[in-house]
Amino acid sequence: KFAALADLVVNHLHSPDILAVEEIQDNNGSTNDTVVAADVTYTMLIDAISAAGDPGYSYRQIDPADDQDGGEPGGNIRQGFLYHRGSGLTFYDMPGGDATTPTAVVGSPGAPHLSLSPGRIDPTNPAFDSSRKPLAGEFVLRGEHLFVIANHFNSKGGDDPLFGRFQPPVLATEAKRLQQAQVVKNFVDSVLALDPEAWVIVLGDLNDFQFSAALTTLAGGVLTNGMDGLTESERYSYVYDGNSQALDHILYSSGLSSRFVSYNSVHVNAEFADGVSDHDPQLMLLDFAERLFLPLILR
């Protein structure tokens, strides 16, 4: 598994400078005990990437509280960041983040910062009960600050099939995704209130379509979804019941619009029986004179 993920990073995504990784399990996987640390898991992944040909990655993350974030019991899945140390990119560390302490936007007009980096966004909000909490990180590239928010919204498990016997389908899980989207949107707004041209990325398995109420709420007229720019035949990252669906997204603020080069849903997993994940990674390329890749890689 680790070797296959590393091959994807190095040979299919060409060693991106920032990766948001998801469903990272704790050090003993599905063993249902009190272990929540994932340093062994991250080290195994980074070592595999190094063995595949790129030794330059470090990671940042926050351990969840035991069995509070959904997923396989005992697995304690969470999001995290890998970043490439050789790219001129650095992580803006503000220590103190933990499972239940929220990060906040601080600073002054024109110079927003995170109070905790990495830090979780409103982790005790009921919208995130038994679900993954958004993880915010602040990066620095040649003196400019970049805010990245990694998400894994509430699953669609429990919704009616899109083309089942009940029409229109009942979307029982949508209400929680709407709540989660609003929390993240409010956080983005607090960054942009201090600097309307701030560099902000919101990405992850958002478990909903680009035209859904949750994604519309999240974009809120201030974020652009890279998935919208693809041709219709390319707008998918997941296949369920034979339906190609766009569940994974990278959204970006207007301050990055002039830097935008391309967006791709890299179709290496979802439609293949031997894929390393059931989701396709998303890859966005921004031009900062040197190239900065911002991808999403799952599981």
Side-chain angles (χ1 to χ4, degrees):
K1 176 78 173 189
F2 285 92
L5 286 168
D7 174 70
L8 194 156
V9 170
V10 175
N11 297 313
H12 292 272
L13 301 180
H14 301 290
S15 299
D17 289 339
I18 298 177
L19 297 97
V21 293
E22 299 190 354
E23 294 212 10
I24 295 290
Q25 288 194 327
D26 63 30
N27 289 337
N28 60 15
S30 61
T31 301
N32 197 355
D33 55 16
T34 59
V35 171
V36 295
D39 55 308
V40 173
T41 308
Y42 280 103
T43 298
M44 289 176 66
L45 177 57
I46 289 172
D47 286 350
I49 294 172
S50 180
D54 199 316
Y57 283 97
S58 295
Y59 75 92
R60 295 290 189 276
Q61 63 105 59
I62 297 288
D63 290 331
D66 189 34
D67 284 335
Q68 296 300 306
D69 283 21
E72 184 177 30
N76 290 310
I77 58 174
R78 82 290 306 272
Q79 300 90 264
F81 299 113
L82 301 187
Y83 67 98
H84 203 289
R85 299 186 304 273
S87 63
L89 186 79
T90 59
F91 195 87
Y92 189 81
D93 286 296
M94 291 297 291
D98 59 28
T100 58
T101 303
T103 187
V105 178
V106 296
S108 56
H113 294 288
L114 299 182
S115 62
L116 302 170
S117 175
R120 293 178 133 197
I121 296 174
D122 203 1
T124 60
N125 190 306
F128 300 109
D129 287 350
S130 299
S131 186
R132 283 67 54 184
K133 284 65 174 172
L135 182 69
E138 187 171 349
F139 297 83
V140 180
L141 178 66
R142 294 197 295 277
E144 298 291 336
H145 290 249
L146 170 68
F147 301 89
V148 184
I149 302 170
N151 304 274
H152 186 176
F153 282 1
N154 189 44
S155 168
K156 291 178 72 68
D159 288 356
D160 284 347
L162 293 179
F163 298 102
R165 60 180 290 205
F166 299 110
Q167 293 296 324
V170 175
L171 305 179
T173 66
E174 183 179 55
K176 179 168 277 193
R177 284 191 299 280
L178 272 168
Q179 295 168 8
Q180 294 173 342
Q182 188 62 60
V183 171
V184 177
K185 168 62 165 53
N186 292 345
F187 191 85
V188 171
D189 285 346
S190 65
V191 176
L192 298 178
L194 286 180
D195 182 2
E197 295 301 309
W199 295 350
V200 182
I201 298 287
V202 178
L203 75 174
D205 177 4
L206 303 180
N207 266 315
D208 223 330
F209 312 130
Q210 68 274 17
F211 49 79
S212 67
L215 267 292
T216 301
T217 296
L218 179 61
V222 299
L223 298 177
T224 299
N225 190 340
M227 185 71 76
D228 288 334
L230 297 179
T231 60
E232 288 189 5
S233 62
E234 291 294 311
R235 291 178 199 161
Y236 69 94
S237 65
Y238 184 75
V239 178
Y240 182 72
D241 281 348
N243 300 310
S244 298
Q245 305 175 356
L247 300 184
D248 308 281
H249 306 268
I250 305 178
L251 296 86
Y252 58 95
S253 62
S254 61
L256 288 169
S257 295
S258 63
R259 309 283 185 174
F260 180 84
V261 176
S262 64
Y263 182 94
N264 285 286
S265 185
V266 184
H267 300 311
V268 291
N269 291 326
E271 61 200 87
F272 300 105
D274 59 350
V276 67
S277 167
D278 52 348
H279 291 243
D280 286 327
Q282 307 301 294
L283 181 66
M284 185 167 73
L285 176 61
L286 302 173
D287 188 346
F288 294 93
E290 297 175 1
R291 296 295 199 225
L292 174 63
F293 294 82
L294 298 175
L296 163 67
I297 183 175
L298 295 169
R299 296 159 179 80

